[in-house]
Amino acid sequence: MKLNHLTAHEILELIAKKEYTAKDIYQSVHYQIEKTEKEVHAYANLTEPASLSIDENKSFPIPIAIKDNMCILDQETTCSSNILKGFKPSYDATVIQKLKDSGAIIVGHANMDEFAFGSSTETSCYGPTHNPWNLDCVPGGSSGGSTAAVASNQAIWAIGSDTGGSIRQPAAFCGVVGLKPTYGRVSRYGLIAFASSLDQIGPITKDIKDSALLMNIIAGHDPKDSTSINRTVPDYTNSLVNDVNGLRIGIPKEYFIDGIDAEVKQAVLDAIETLKERGATLKEVSLPHTEYAVATYYIIATSEASSNLARFDGVQYGLRKIPAKSRKSSIVDMYEETRATGFGTEAKRRIMLGTYSLSSGYYDDYYLKGLKVRTLIKQDFDKVFKDFDAIITPTTPTTAFKIGEKTSDPISMYLSDIFTISANLSGIPAISIPCGFSSNDLPIGMQIMAKPFDEEMLFRIGYTYQQITDWHKKRVDL
Ligand code: GLN
């Protein structure tokens, strides 16, 4: 038995039975990192083994990978950008604090697209992460390092962030479970902001049970985050029930469009059929404003990003570049030099797009219009959820693409999130779970969406599905 291939709940049972210690588990993960990290490159940086604390008495002493945009006290946190090289936070993000309290063994910061801008983990200043199922392919993004770490068994579970699909899309590409919780369910304090009205932190795991367990650790109100919601957090493991009888599930016709890969479509339709056999009622529904989601997202997300990234100017965080003729240069020259050197191409593209949409004369036509369409997209969901408990779609239109295939075509890269973006614009929870493999052995994901704060519905449907199928049990043997 390979310990690092197990789920967290399986490991916790073994630890409880005293068959293994948390240290044994960490060692198996550490060995795997030594063996495969050169090929996979899931991590931006690894925690110094000397500073790792393994406390056998804590409830969840499980090795975890943390996306490189969450602040860890005294540990370099860079958003995989040159502009934050050398930045060591003076505090822990709330999620990190909760994980540390539970006994988590933080293996390292996982690689990501620079500032979470991307769908392939190719825009990282550390170079691309490779998909463990096929090293020539991308793992998806922007949490591709976190999903690749779990899929390559270099971590037992991981934490990602999702602004437009960045947990779910790479989860689908890497054959793992990725949940974007309801906006406000998990604190964003200490998450370096991309688009503050869309960002959510969520779990990346091998199965649904682990997803529920990790949510139990990280969810909840936080006075340090004014957008976090003060609402009781249920014990998510109570929703792990094998029963979908009588549930009403909507299948939106706008998500089964031309251009979607035939094998992806078939795998998701087969999964839907499986749930039908278990007594769920499935019916076609319509989310008519879906076609505007990508455009709306790229107006709103880039606007917020341009504003959030204004703080990286060489003064407080990370890199500072003083122009060569330093005696003559002003502080503005320093800002310019720092930002010109520190940000990569995609970050610059987004800052320019967002600044344009927010600028006087264009604000009404772009940003304000975007906000109005966002409301229409949300209303589509409100309407469907009056009569349905959940919505099922493919997570992505295709399986993982080749490294380099879309780097010179930003629009085609942006379209990889066509099915995931609407959940962020509407604030609703959505999960991607493995539901098949393509003929060339790449994982396929199905997305389940539910009403705000009804993560329990996602767990219930996902858990039932995993009792009947075993896609989530496949492991890469690297
Ligand atoms: N791929 C999308 C983007 O590039 C979503 C990223 C994310 O969710 N962080 O904006």
Side-chain angles (χ1 to χ4, degrees), residues 67 113 115-120 141-143 161-167 194 199 297-298 301 346 350 413-414 417 421 424:
K67 190 174 180 178
D113 280 297
F115 284 102
F117 301 151
S119 307
S120 64
S142 62
S143 312
S161 69
D162 190 312
T163 307
S166 276
I167 289 176
F194 161 2
D199 299 341
Y297 169 84
Y298 276 96
E346 185 60 25
R350 302 228 180 177
M413 188 72 90
Y414 294 174
D417 294 307
I421 272 171
N424 302 75

Side-chain angles (χ1 to χ4, degrees), residues 3 36 52 126 133 162 224 314 339 374-375 409 433 443:
L3 292 175
T36 60
L52 274 176
Y126 303 109
W133 292 96
D162 190 312
K224 292 182 189 147
R339 289 170 67 85
R374 178 178 189 173
T375 301
D409 183 359
I433 64 178

